[in-house]
Amino acid sequence: MGKIILATSIASSLYLTVMLKMLHFFKWIKWHPTKFLHVVDDALTRWIVLFAILAVVSALVYLILMNIRFVPAIVVGIIVGIAIAFVAEWVIYDLSAEAKSFKRLSIPFIVVTTTATVFIAETAIFHREQIEKGNELPYSASVIKYRENEEKG
């Protein structure tokens, strides 16, 4: 279980880090993703620290989303992804709660965040369902009994 969480969080944080770099490079976001890490001097180290932070956050989101039941994973992923994107940009821009503030939000950033969250949600919910299934056989027990009787006779 721990390996799955680790692999999922590393994959999603790698995706997010690369996409944030691309969004910033092509100026699709007007803020710098590593600006809050101003205490670190080297630019590469800032991106590595951002990757580590995103990996931890991804693992936490995985653990939270793993406990969601009765709602399709895609719906949960989209809602949580949009919420994370809105909150992140609201904090970054220090926006007011007015309708004109929505114009400053970056749609590419919302799409990237939502995509990563849907990936995490789909993986978390799929693996939770697999754990709940346990060692359930993919066929009925009567097939096994029939074959056992065939081999004896």
Side-chain angles (χ1 to χ4, degrees):
M1 182 67 177
K3 290 179 183 179
I4 295 169
I5 296 172
L6 182 66
T8 304
S9 64
I10 287 174
S12 65
S13 61
L14 181 64
Y15 168 75
L16 282 170
T17 305
V18 169
M19 292 307 294
L20 282 172
K21 180 66 177 167
M22 288 180 62
L23 289 174
H24 181 257
F25 180 78
F26 291 112
K27 298 184 181 6
W28 288 331
I29 53 175
K30 301 195 184 329
W31 46 273
H32 198 288
T34 61
K35 185 178 181 182
F36 70 97
L37 298 169
H38 61 304
V39 293
V40 180
D41 293 333
D42 184 34
L44 179 63
T45 308
R46 286 182 189 169
W47 286 101
I48 292 171
V49 170
L50 179 65
F51 171 80
I53 292 170
L54 289 173
V56 170
V57 170
S58 296
L60 292 174
V61 169
Y62 182 99
L63 291 172
I64 291 168
L65 294 180
M66 193 170 155
N67 296 313
I68 302 293
R69 300 184 192 294
F70 308 117
V71 181
I74 188 118
V75 173
V76 172
I78 289 172
I79 291 171
V80 171
I82 290 173
I84 290 172
F86 273 94
V87 168
E89 288 207 316
W90 231 274
V91 169
I92 291 166
Y93 285 132
D94 194 26
L95 296 174
S96 60
E98 298 175 358
K100 66 180 181 178
S101 298
F102 283 100
K103 293 180 181 178
R104 294 205 56 192
L105 299 176
S106 170
I107 292 175
F109 176 70
I110 294 170
V111 169
V112 167
T113 307
T114 303
T115 305
T117 311
V118 167
F119 166 70
I120 294 170
E122 290 280 353
T123 306
I125 292 173
F126 172 79
H127 286 289
R128 177 191 37 90
E129 289 172 355
Q130 293 302 314
I131 290 170
E132 287 175 354
K133 270 182 153 179
N135 292 328
E136 183 180 303
L137 297 173
Y139 43 82
S140 67
S142 64
V143 174
I144 296 173
K145 290 179 183 177
Y146 175 73
R147 288 187 182 161
E148 287 175 355
N149 292 335
E150 229 177 48
E151 290 173 3
K152 289 178 185 177

